Amino acid sequence: GDSVTQMEGPVTLSEEAFLTINCTYTATGYPSLFWYVQYPGEGLQLLLKATKADDKGSNKGFEATYRKETTSFHLEKGSVQVSDSAVYFCAHLYSGAGSYQLTFGKGTKLSVIP
Amino acid sequence: NAGVTQTPKFQVLKTGQSMTLQCAQDMNHEYMSWYRQDPGMGLRLIHYSVGAGITDQGEVPNGYNVSRSTTEDFPLRLLSAAPSQTSVYFCASRQTALNTEAFFGQGTRLTVV
């Protein structure tokens, strides 16, 4: 069935390091793809999205490109900050049985140390 | 500018008790949903609603009921709490089922002892 798989954490990086969090999906058709971020004690909030192949979503220095050929949507940031410490969720929006469900990966916890 | 509001933030229940988790949104969104978040499991969909009077089951509906009598409110009822329902519960809404961005509440941390 349709699913999202992201790299397991936790990931610990030093400030200003390069970040990559891998995400791949399986889906029938062409889902919209998202990265959500959850800061400690809060709900999820949208970080970026891409709705069709080759689209690049970007926000707050984070980027991800919708790669149809590899069914991937990897999250990258060139220089992380302590304030980026959070749990990151990859997700897709697919159509099943006439309803559009948002399906999440298991989350990757990122800790950035000074 | 409330967005999605969940109450309570924390709750402890004894096995067999019932309770209702409240969720309200002030954005006139048609689509609302409930997820549970467990360590190593990500978010799993419990129930969802595409509009007032319409609800359906998600991935893990057993032990939970929902109703949607108004556009704004989407309460989640635990009928007879079990320790396996210890989790963090999130309510989310989006403008329609087709719209992309989901807005989340801050969560309810439920412990069943």
Side-chain angles (χ1 to χ4, degrees):
Chain A
D2 295 352
S3 65
V4 175
T5 304
Q6 64 182 100
M7 65 183 282
E8 295 188 16
V11 174
T12 301
L13 294 174
S14 297
E15 206 165 22
E16 299 183 2
F18 184 85
L19 169 71
T20 299
I21 301 178
N22 291 338
C23 172
T24 58
Y25 66 91
T26 60
T28 51
Y30 303 101
S32 295
L33 302 173
F34 310 86
W35 278 100
Y36 280 82
V37 58
Q38 183 182 31
Y39 298 104
E42 298 185 9
L44 280 71
Q45 54 187 275
L46 181 67
L47 180 60
L48 53 84
K49 67 182 182 186
T51 57
K52 60 183 188 296
D54 300 325
D55 267 3
K56 178 186 281 188
S58 61
N59 186 24
K60 299 181 181 180
F62 291 89
E63 293 183 339
T65 301
Y66 190 143
R67 302 284 187 201
K68 188 175 70 139
E69 62 277 10
T70 54
T71 61
S72 65
F73 192 56
H74 305 322
L75 182 68
E76 296 182 336
K77 186 174 185 182
S79 176
V80 294
Q81 305 300 313
V82 172
S83 56
D84 294 327
S85 297
V87 181
Y88 293 81
F89 292 90
C90 186
H92 74 19
L93 184 68
Y94 74 95
S95 173
S99 182
Y100 288 76
Q101 308 292 11
L102 192 58
T103 299
F104 291 87
K106 294 184 179 181
T108 303
K109 183 176 182 179
L110 170 66
S111 298
V112 181
I113 54 178
Chain B
N1 203 19
V4 179
T5 303
Q6 288 183 237
T7 55
K9 285 190 168 53
F10 302 93
Q11 183 71 50
V12 179
L13 289 180
K14 294 182 179 178
T15 298
Q17 286 185 314
S18 62
M19 80 159 293
T20 299
L21 307 185
Q22 301 292 343
C23 176
Q25 52 91 8
D26 61 359
M27 297 172 282
N28 202 31
H29 286 174
E30 292 182 5
Y31 188 98
M32 296 184 74
S33 53
W34 277 100
Y35 291 87
R36 57 178 290 171
Q37 182 180 28
D38 301 293
M41 301 292 291
L43 277 79
R44 293 180 291 169
L45 182 66
I46 305 172
H47 284 285
Y48 65 94
S49 168
V50 298
I54 306 169
T55 64
D56 207 344
Q57 297 181 349
E59 181 186 354
V60 288
N62 292 340
Y64 307 95
N65 271 359
V66 292
S67 60
R68 184 94 180 271
S69 56
T70 67
T71 298
E72 293 78 19
D73 300 302
F74 190 46
L76 178 72
R77 296 183 187 85
L78 280 70
L79 309 172
S80 177
S84 61
Q85 293 178 304
T86 294
S87 187
V88 181
Y89 292 85
F90 287 100
C91 179
S93 74
R94 51 188 205 260
Q95 191 166 357
T96 68
L98 296 176
N99 280 66
T100 54
E101 181 172 2
F103 294 83
F104 283 79
Q106 294 211 325
T108 296
R109 183 175 293 275
L110 175 69
T111 303
V112 183
V113 297

